[in-house]
Amino acid sequence: MIKRLSVCLFIFSLTLFSSGVFASPQMPDYIIFKGDTIATYNLILEQYLQRHDTTKTEQLFGLSFRNSTNGSFSFNCWRGYQAIYKIDNDSLFLVDIINCGERRNGKIDKAASFKKMKEVFGNGFINDRVYINWFSGDLNFPLTNKVLRWDGVFYKIYEKETVVNISNGKVSNIEHVNNYEAVPNAKDRKDKSKVSDTFFEQLKKIKWKKINEFCAEDYIVTIDKEGKVSKVTMRRYQNPDTIEKYWDRAEYDSCIHTIFNSLRKLRFDILKDKGKPISEDIYIGIWYDSKKRKIIRAV
């Protein structure tokens, strides 16, 4: 037990640094769809750049198109540019590569945009646009402003979205989806921050005086695609090596089983992304007050 406590602060510091706590929210790309220009959180152009490792694309992906003459860039646009796509005649096109915030700040410099696309795509730049034949997958953009989930940097899941199925640049299907499904008698989870509150209220019911108080820890609780609690792990001890190094395995297993058994009967509404159910990890930190013999929320 002592050897585990001696490294907690060090591991916690590494976790904060490596988890992107200091990352800045990033500007989206845009898509022109049925006359509207809508923000989209799908980095389609990056897929092309990552597959074509040439000097030209490295310059585009690196420093050549940062949004000032001295090479500086916006903390909200690490890419150094934004892409604008368009769905036209059942096909997906790249129609502009612009400086960060250019569309928001005023008129787009079309000459500069076309120059960038010519440098990257060469003969693929035809009739002032590029056919996106390298992309297959689902492209989504919001129907409402209600955000269900945000990774804190770039990707967002909206409650209602348009999802466009694309195969090698060709549109195969367009549908409107709802990314939240209410389940009878299930717990609401539209607000992610309140899900951990539900967990904590359930954990308070544990007879903590009957188990080892060092089970107070940071936990990751997984809610599966069906809205059920399917897994519990400790946030700082994710693999056998770290578990064996800092824990007695029987004590670790006892803590995991205690937390899981307390939460496993909970049922939540179903969360989706692009209309398909997804699992989700929720973090909760608990601390044991030995004087009051009860748990409290960790700060």
Side-chain angles (χ1 to χ4, degrees):
M1 185 61 185
I2 295 176
K3 63 178 180 179
R4 184 173 69 90
L5 292 175
S6 65
V7 297
C8 278
L9 288 178
F10 175 70
I11 294 176
F12 181 67
S13 299
L14 290 179
T15 302
L16 283 177
F17 182 78
S18 61
S19 62
V21 171
F22 306 106
S24 300
Q26 296 297 293
M27 296 179 181
D29 284 345
Y30 295 96
I31 183 167
I32 301 171
F33 180 70
K34 294 184 178 179
D36 294 326
T37 302
I38 311 166
T40 182
Y41 296 86
N42 300 266
L43 296 176
I44 299 172
L45 177 55
E46 272 66 23
Q47 293 190 20
Y48 179 89
L49 298 176
Q50 290 167 8
R51 294 176 188 175
H52 298 76
D53 188 17
T54 66
T55 301
K56 290 181 180 179
T57 54
E58 282 178 353
Q59 288 176 348
L60 174 62
F61 197 68
L63 299 175
S64 293
F65 300 126
R66 296 301 186 190
N67 27 343
S68 77
T69 55
N70 64 3
S72 65
F73 58 89
S74 167
F75 284 106
N76 297 114
C77 193
W78 286 98
R79 290 168 289 152
Y81 60 90
Q82 292 172 281
I84 299 179
Y85 311 102
K86 183 177 183 179
I87 292 178
D88 189 19
N89 293 325
D90 295 326
S91 295
L92 181 64
F93 297 93
L94 173 69
V95 294
D96 279 300
I97 300 175
I98 63 176
N99 291 328
C100 296
E102 185 176 342
R103 178 186 175 275
R104 182 183 61 193
N105 295 333
K107 187 177 180 180
I108 293 173
D109 187 340
K110 281 290 193 180
S113 172
F114 290 170
K115 180 181 178 182
K116 294 171 187 176
M117 287 195 287
K118 287 178 182 177
E119 289 181 0
V120 176
F121 295 99
N123 294 333
F125 180 67
I126 303 172
N127 296 326
D128 297 340
R129 57 188 184 179
V130 175
Y131 175 52
I132 303 180
N133 58 5
W134 67 85
F135 179 75
S136 293
D138 294 332
L139 173 64
N140 61 321
F141 46 89
L143 282 169
T144 66
N145 292 325
K146 175 63 177 179
V147 177
L148 292 177
R149 295 294 185 269
W150 179 40
D151 64 6
V153 179
F154 187 75
Y155 195 71
K156 295 181 180 181
I157 298 176
Y158 288 84
E159 184 171 2
K160 295 182 179 180
E161 296 178 325
T162 295
V163 177
V164 184
N165 307 124
I166 297 173
S167 178
N168 298 320
K170 287 290 185 181
V171 176
S172 57
N173 186 51
I174 298 175
E175 61 179 330
H176 302 311
V177 301
N178 193 327
N179 283 324
Y180 192 86
E181 180 182 339
V183 177
N185 302 317
K187 303 290 185 181
D188 185 286
R189 62 189 290 207
K190 283 189 177 181
D191 186 343
K192 184 177 181 179
S193 65
K194 294 182 179 179
V195 177
S196 59
D197 295 339
T198 302
F199 288 156
F200 181 68
E201 290 304 312
Q202 189 71 14
L203 292 174
K204 286 197 301 185
K205 300 175 184 178
I206 297 176
K207 302 298 182 181
W208 283 90
K209 63 183 179 180
K210 293 184 179 180
I211 66 172
N212 292 318
E213 63 185 55
F214 57 79
C215 283
E217 259 292 350
D218 291 337
Y219 291 90
I220 301 174
V221 182
T222 301
I223 302 175
D224 66 15
K225 295 178 181 180
E226 297 179 348
K228 300 177 182 178
V229 174
S230 61
K231 185 180 180 182
V232 173
T233 59
M234 288 186 186
R235 186 175 184 177
R236 290 190 283 265
Y237 309 99
Q238 291 287 300
N239 59 67
D241 289 339
T242 55
I243 295 170
E244 295 298 331
K245 187 174 182 179
Y246 302 115
W247 278 86
D248 175 88
R249 188 61 194 230
E251 292 176 346
Y252 174 88
D253 290 342
S254 175
C255 291
I256 293 296
H257 292 157
T258 298
I259 300 298
F260 178 74
N261 287 334
S262 175
L263 301 178
R264 66 186 178 88
K265 293 182 180 180
L266 293 174
R267 180 72 191 276
F268 292 87
D269 292 338
I270 295 174
L271 180 67
K272 302 179 181 181
D273 183 17
K274 300 184 180 73
K276 300 175 182 177
I278 59 173
S279 62
E280 178 178 40
D281 289 338
I282 303 293
Y283 301 98
I284 182 168
I286 55 176
W287 190 255
Y288 184 76
D289 188 327
S290 58
K291 292 182 179 180
K292 296 181 180 180
R293 290 192 174 184
K294 67 178 185 179
I295 64 166
I296 58 177
R297 291 288 291 272
V299 177

